[in-house]
Amino acid sequence: MGHHLFNDCPKRVLIRKMINMETITSYIKSRPDTTRAEKGFERAELLSILDGVGAFTVFVPTDAAFDALPRELHEGIEEDEDVCDDIFMYHVIQGSYTLEDFKGYIAPEQDEVRVPTAQGEDVVIRNFNDTLSVNGMSITEPDIGCSNGTVHLVIGVLRPPSMLPRSAEAGTPRFEVMSGEKGVRFRLRLSSGEVVAVSKGYVSRTDCLDDIETIRHELLKAEVIEVDENEEG
């Protein structure tokens, strides 16, 4: 079992001194590939908070990350206020933390640290071969400094454990590797049949498989199979 970030310092907030930098909200709004996250944070009434005094750490999914969500969860985010609040508050942590900060909280005999979110449940930051992930999701652009905290871009939408389907806890998930115009990509399918993440495009198959191996370490067991890129997810 991993260490819990706030076990020894429940009130600690790390604030880095920054001058003339945009807020987390301004940064999210400035990116053309985070418009869907922006809308979600807005529906959850978090944009005004993330535009104010921090400090915060926010895991921001890119627009492509939402394509991997099942239709019912898409509808929940758009139509159910409680679902939307839970999802997007789960992406926010009190305090400003870089990846190096998280690494510093992982005990030598452990490979992870559990971090409480604004939603109330923990995310799990794991270190495998000196590469950090959050809930098994790759962090594609880490340590983006803002005036009121830190942003980390992630390849998937994080979901609280209480919102995961029970079938995801049993059976063998699998990575489906696809080659096409967007390069070599993979998607992660749970044993329930639900696709929970779609990767970026990789130039080489080796780089794609290397990232899969990193995530497989988090998931313990998963199949890797070849699929047609045009096959429905």
Side-chain angles (χ1 to χ4, degrees):
M1 182 178 295
H3 180 64
H4 197 292
L5 179 59
F6 294 151
N7 276 352
D8 303 318
C9 49
K11 296 183 180 179
R12 182 171 184 183
V13 176
L14 304 181
I15 303 176
R16 291 177 291 156
K17 294 182 178 179
M18 303 174 185
I19 302 174
N20 297 325
M21 298 180 69
E22 57 191 347
T23 65
I24 292 172
T25 291
S26 296
Y27 178 77
I28 293 173
K29 287 184 173 182
S30 72
R31 290 189 63 114
D33 60 345
T34 56
T35 57
R36 296 166 81 173
E38 177 189 343
K39 291 177 182 178
F41 284 120
E42 183 176 21
R43 283 195 292 270
E45 300 183 352
L46 287 169
L47 282 186
S48 60
I49 294 172
L50 299 177
D51 201 36
V53 177
F56 308 103
T57 298
V58 184
F59 297 101
V60 179
T62 59
D63 289 343
F66 290 85
D67 293 335
L69 293 178
R71 180 181 302 174
E72 55 269 24
L73 189 54
H74 268 299
E75 294 174 351
I77 289 175
E78 295 178 358
E79 301 172 8
D80 189 315
E81 181 178 331
D82 291 335
V83 170
C84 185
D85 287 352
D86 277 350
I87 289 287
F88 287 94
M89 289 179 70
Y90 189 64
H91 287 72
V92 179
I93 295 170
Q94 181 184 11
S96 181
Y97 296 93
T98 65
L99 296 195
E100 284 301 314
D101 292 328
F102 287 130
K103 284 181 182 179
Y105 282 100
I106 298 176
E109 69 278 7
Q110 302 290 343
D111 64 357
E112 68 180 40
V113 61
R114 304 182 70 85
V115 188
T117 68
Q119 182 264 351
E121 297 180 69
D122 295 347
V123 290
V124 179
I125 309 294
R126 288 195 176 96
N127 186 359
F128 178 63
N129 287 345
D130 208 36
T131 298
L132 295 193
S133 63
V134 54
N135 286 14
M137 300 287 186
S138 294
I139 300 170
T140 55
E141 292 186 44
D143 301 345
I144 300 164
C146 298
S147 63
N148 59 347
T150 304
V151 168
H152 304 287
L153 293 188
V154 292
I155 66 168
V157 178
L158 307 179
R159 282 186 282 172
S162 61
M163 294 184 66
L164 292 174
R166 291 186 179 180
S167 57
E169 300 173 2
T172 302
R174 69 187 188 188
F175 291 93
E176 300 175 341
V177 180
M178 308 169 285
S179 298
E181 294 180 357
K182 297 181 180 180
V184 182
R185 298 185 299 151
F186 69 82
R187 62 189 178 214
L188 176 57
R189 190 185 298 275
L190 300 179
S191 57
S192 62
E194 177 184 354
V195 173
V196 294
V198 178
S199 78
K200 62 182 181 181
Y202 294 86
V203 174
S204 75
R205 179 181 176 83
T206 299
D207 289 342
C208 178
L209 293 177
D210 284 347
D211 270 7
I212 286 177
E213 284 305 310
T214 298
I215 300 173
R216 286 183 74 187
H217 175 76
E218 318 296 345
L219 297 174
L220 300 181
K221 292 183 179 180
E223 298 174 299
V224 181
I225 67 170
E226 296 285 348
V227 298
D228 187 336
E229 186 180 44
N230 297 318
E231 182 182 334
E232 289 295 322

